Amino acid sequence: MESFDVIVVGAGIVGLATAYHAQKSGARVLVLDKGATGYEASSRATGYLSLRGETPEECALAQVAEKLWDELDEELGYPTEWTQKGRLWAAIDDGELAELKATFQSFQATDIGFEFIDAKACRDLIPALTDKTLGGIYTPRAGHANPQRTTQAFAWAFLDRGGEIREHTPVLSVLEKGGAVHGVRTTRGDIHAGTVVLCAASHTTKLLEPLGIVFPLAPVRLEAFVTAPLPPLFEEAFIAHGLAVRQTRRGNIHVNGGPFEWIDVDVTGEPAKPTTPLVRNIAQRLVEVFPVLRKAQMLRSWAGIVDITPDTMTLIHSFDTPRGLVAASASGHGFGMAPAMGVAIADLALQGRTELPIGDLTLDRFASLPGDWRRAWNWQAGNINT
Ligand SMILES: Cc1cc2nc3c(=O)[nH]c(=O)nc-3n(C[C@H](O)[C@H](O)[C@H](O)COP(=O)(O)OP(=O)(O)OC[C@H]3O[C@@H](n4cnc5c(N)ncnc54)[C@H](O)[C@@H]3O)c2cc1C
């Protein structure tokens, strides 16, 4: 049987960042993906790094990510289009303003720099904003990058260091014997490794079920589109009206938004596709926020699936039983977190421990989670989350 030190399941940005760091540390690493490299959420993301001010437990890891983003182009040797001009989270009606003020209170528990700014300050920052803007939270250290280029940069940097990626090779199960993993079963046969890392988004839950492990993730579908290139309007990451918006280096306005539809996934299922009514709804809200975009041309639209944990925080766990098994989920904000997640997961895979601040992000926090948590949360397939 073929043998590697580490097998990483999933060639998304989290799996590739993990594989890159493990390979760089001297391990022989194989990445397996059921489809093409970076074809799922990682290349469909909007591209923000959020500093996770609203969830203090993962804010420390987000701040590690921020430092790594600053050096990423040099580290990987390929461009990511990292742009650190801050994030504005604005309100354009009274309900959104009340929600934003509550969020601002939750930010107080963290040590990231942020401030509540009034309508005028919001429009001084982004003059194209609607005159209905009421105020916003400005976080100067947040940033954004190009998801396709960054995911590919991790893949190339991993390959440059001698790693191997096998596409169109679905993993069917994790092989375990005597309390330790010893490889994976794929559609093309078994492959041996003393360490298996699952970065397969929502599929990680399915791969762990036969081992008797509950890894609580709910898949949800998001929609996005880009406009044709426009003259420069703003460089900040921008959130308002249920939308996340950035302007790319080429001038495209890139937007994603809800409402989000909870779904179920299976290994052979087709990737998500956008629905016309929802894309129209997102476009309409975009014009409400940026009236200047009412004549913008939509270039293309797409949908993607993200994996959400019950408390919406990152989940990274190294298992004692079976030994040699590590699993992770980015809970819907993995693009920004991936540089730090990759270091932490590779540390766990190779040394069984990490210096990075993931103590509050393990599976232990879900020890008393009810078995029917998706029903209890109303996160079952077919339900909509606004
Ligand atoms: C529209 C949209 C906008 C987003 N915007 C942002 C943002 O602005 N900022 C941010 O931080 N995050 C954002 N996200 C979330 C972010 O994209 C994800 O959290 C991140 O990409 C997760 O990376 P991943 O590697 O864990 O998952 P994925 O990229 O989904 O990769 C998982 C991989 O595992 C593979 N796989 C699954 N099952 C198997 C199997 N059985 N065998 C082999 N391979 C398997 C899949 O084919 C896939 O390639 C957004 C997501 C979407 C869809």
Side-chain angles (χ1 to χ4, degrees):
M1 202 195 306
E2 267 191 298
S3 186
F4 292 81
D5 298 325
V6 179
I7 290 175
V8 176
V9 183
I13 193 166
V14 175
L16 292 166
T18 302
Y20 168 77
H21 287 289
Q23 183 80 22
K24 189 182 164 193
S25 299
R28 208 171 147 248
V29 182
L30 173 68
V31 175
L32 297 169
D33 201 287
K34 67 180 173 60
T37 301
Y39 187 65
E40 300 289 340
S42 297
S43 60
R44 299 166 192 241
T46 302
Y48 290 0
L49 163 70
S50 154
L51 290 169
R52 307 303 298 158
E54 57 276 48
T55 50
E57 297 89 338
E58 59 181 353
C59 185
L61 190 65
Q63 291 184 70
V64 174
E66 184 213 350
K67 290 201 177 62
L68 294 171
W69 270 108
D70 257 352
E71 301 151 9
L72 206 54
D73 286 25
E74 203 178 330
E75 169 73 33
L76 301 179
Y78 298 97
T80 63
E81 298 182 12
W82 170 238
T83 305
Q84 192 170 22
K85 295 286 181 181
R87 181 181 79 174
L88 178 61
W89 186 345
I92 69 162
D93 64 36
D94 291 337
E96 289 176 10
L97 189 63
E99 203 178 306
L100 211 58
K101 285 186 172 160
T103 304
F104 184 69
Q105 288 310 319
S106 71
F107 274 35
Q108 309 287 340
T110 67
D111 58 356
I112 56 169
F114 58 88
E115 55 182 315
F116 203 95
I117 60 174
D118 64 14
K120 179 177 177 312
C122 288
R123 296 190 69 209
D124 285 349
L125 213 54
I126 305 183
L129 268 177
T130 168
D131 57 11
K132 293 189 180 130
T133 306
L134 298 174
I137 301 173
Y138 179 58
T139 315
R141 279 166 41 208
H144 59 87
N146 180 319
Q148 280 113 10
R149 292 193 93 169
T150 308
T151 304
Q152 192 58 52
F154 271 112
W156 280 330
F158 168 62
L159 295 172
D160 289 347
R161 281 157 184 78
E164 186 182 340
I165 301 174
R166 254 175 239 175
E167 300 180 323
H168 307 291
T169 310
V171 170
L172 302 173
S173 61
V174 176
L175 301 174
E176 183 263 338
K177 197 172 183 187
V181 301
H182 61 95
V184 295
R185 176 149 298 159
T186 79
T187 49
R188 300 174 180 195
D190 293 354
I191 309 173
H192 176 269
T195 303
V196 173
V197 180
L198 301 179
C199 298
S202 305
H203 300 272
T204 295
T205 302
K206 307 259 176 210
L207 290 168
L208 289 173
E209 271 168 12
L211 301 175
I213 297 169
V214 177
F215 203 74
L217 301 175
V220 73
R221 188 170 172 281
L222 306 180
E223 311 264 337
F225 69 80
V226 284
T227 69
L230 293 163
L233 288 172
F234 58 96
E235 290 184 288
E236 295 79 5
F238 178 78
I239 303 179
H241 223 24
L243 307 174
V245 194
R246 75 180 182 107
Q247 188 163 24
T248 70
R249 292 260 171 108
R250 279 160 304 288
N252 318 80
I253 302 295
H254 183 157
V255 54
N256 90 70
F260 312 122
E261 185 187 356
W262 299 105
I263 57 163
D264 282 324
V265 294
D266 65 69
V267 171
T268 51
E270 278 282 301
K273 293 185 176 61
T275 68
T276 310
L278 185 49
V279 170
R280 257 196 222 120
N281 175 299
I282 294 172
Q284 187 182 332
R285 279 181 287 146
L286 181 67
V287 171
E288 283 165 19
V289 181
F290 292 108
V292 68
L293 295 180
R294 67 187 171 282
K295 295 219 165 117
Q297 296 280 317
M298 192 185 293
L299 209 57
R300 60 181 177 276
S301 65
W302 63 92
I305 297 167
V306 294
D307 38 308
I308 307 289
T309 60
D311 58 9
T312 73
M313 292 198 301
T314 303
L315 175 55
I316 301 176
H317 197 87
S318 174
F319 294 88
D320 294 331
T321 316
R323 279 191 317 284
L325 179 64
V326 183
S329 161
S331 195
H333 40 275
F335 178 74
M337 296 290 264
M341 289 180 76
V343 175
I345 302 167
D347 284 350
L348 294 175
L350 300 186
Q351 302 155 27
R353 59 183 187 81
T354 181
E355 301 290 312
L356 266 58
I358 62 157
D360 291 329
L361 303 179
T362 70
L363 194 54
D364 299 346
R365 69 187 195 267
F366 297 126
S368 54
L369 189 75
D372 65 345
W373 70 277
R374 284 191 68 180
R375 192 162 59 80
W377 270 237
N378 218 10
W379 286 9
Q380 281 171 308
N383 287 350
I384 300 290
N385 183 22
T386 46

